[in-house]
Amino acid sequence: PEGYAGLKNLSNTCYMNSLLTQLFMNVGFREFMLRVPAANPESSQRLLVETKKVFGNMQETWLKSVDPQGLVDSIRTYENEPIDVTIQMDVDEFYNLLFDRWESQIVEPEAKKKFRSFYGGQLVQQIKSKECSHISERLEPFSAIQCDIKGKASLEESLQAYVEGEVMQGGKLILCNAYSTPC
């Protein structure tokens, strides 16, 4: 009744369909992807163009599902091979691959910055000495984190455990993770 369509399963593509559907339902991200410029749609930016087609069709059609075959055909692995729809892929690995490929096809610096702001941030790794006040920090960009949820009552508790410090090397150093604002 809302006019949104799902994605046709092409074999073992449920990992891809569920990720794309979640990304599509983030209205700001969807609008960005539909509007981001593609200067070379037939070759170097084909994945970007195919994503626009799929998101546009999911948004505008009254059909039950949209066929993502064109999008699938435009996704290349890190070895520059097409993905194999008959093989189940880990959604986290696919997420990283897809975001890497999308980012590489976004040309304008401001558009890249906006793209990174949707699902990314910076992780600050701090090393503190228990013997002096010196703190060493290193910033690392991230687009996903893996936190332990087993035995945790909430996502907040899981994230809190992720950023807790740990004592390293004979109890003299503490390693801490913390989040900063998105890129």
Side-chain angles (χ1 to χ4, degrees):
E2 288 80 23
Y4 295 129
L7 293 168
K8 179 181 174 187
N9 195 336
L10 302 177
S11 183
N12 288 320
T13 58
C14 53
Y15 66 91
M16 179 191 75
N17 292 357
S18 63
L19 176 62
L20 288 172
T21 301
Q22 289 177 48
L23 296 172
F24 171 82
M25 292 307 293
N26 177 333
V27 177
F29 182 77
R30 177 189 342 146
E31 289 174 352
F32 170 81
M33 292 301 283
L34 288 170
R35 290 189 178 124
V36 68
N40 191 353
E42 292 307 313
S43 59
S44 65
Q45 292 178 305
R46 188 165 165 242
L47 174 60
L48 200 54
V49 170
E50 292 297 330
T51 302
K52 290 171 174 280
K53 287 179 186 176
V54 167
F55 279 9
N57 286 334
M58 287 174 74
Q59 180 174 280
E60 299 299 328
T61 189
W62 286 94
L63 296 174
K64 184 178 178 181
S65 64
V66 171
D67 186 347
Q69 187 66 57
L71 175 65
V72 168
D73 292 343
S74 67
I75 302 170
R76 295 286 179 259
T77 66
Y78 290 114
E79 292 79 30
N80 206 29
E81 298 290 326
I83 62 169
D84 185 349
V85 296
T86 64
I87 298 173
Q88 181 74 28
M89 197 173 188
D90 178 79
V91 73
D92 186 50
E93 290 175 26
F94 180 69
Y95 168 86
N96 289 322
L97 172 70
L98 189 59
F99 270 74
D100 182 59
R101 294 300 188 222
W102 275 333
E103 185 176 5
S104 72
Q105 293 188 10
I106 296 171
V107 182
E108 296 175 359
E110 284 302 310
K112 271 189 193 274
K113 185 176 180 179
K114 177 77 173 169
F115 175 76
R116 289 183 192 126
S117 75
F118 284 103
Y119 295 102
Q122 289 187 334
L123 183 66
V124 180
Q125 280 202 350
Q126 295 180 331
I127 299 178
K128 301 176 186 180
S129 173
K130 283 185 160 185
E131 297 172 350
C132 69
S133 62
H134 178 72
I135 298 174
S136 172
E137 291 186 341
R138 185 177 72 213
L139 296 175
E140 295 179 10
F142 73 88
S143 59
I145 61 168
Q146 293 184 0
C147 49
D148 188 17
I149 57 171
K150 190 174 183 177
K152 305 292 188 261
S154 66
L155 178 59
E156 187 175 312
E157 188 178 325
S158 179
L159 290 171
Q160 184 60 42
Y162 182 79
V163 298
E164 282 179 0
E166 62 182 277
V167 177
M168 299 172 50
Q169 210 90 52
K172 294 182 180 179
L173 298 174
I174 299 174
L175 175 65
C176 301
N177 293 319
Y179 298 101
S180 70
T181 56
C183 303

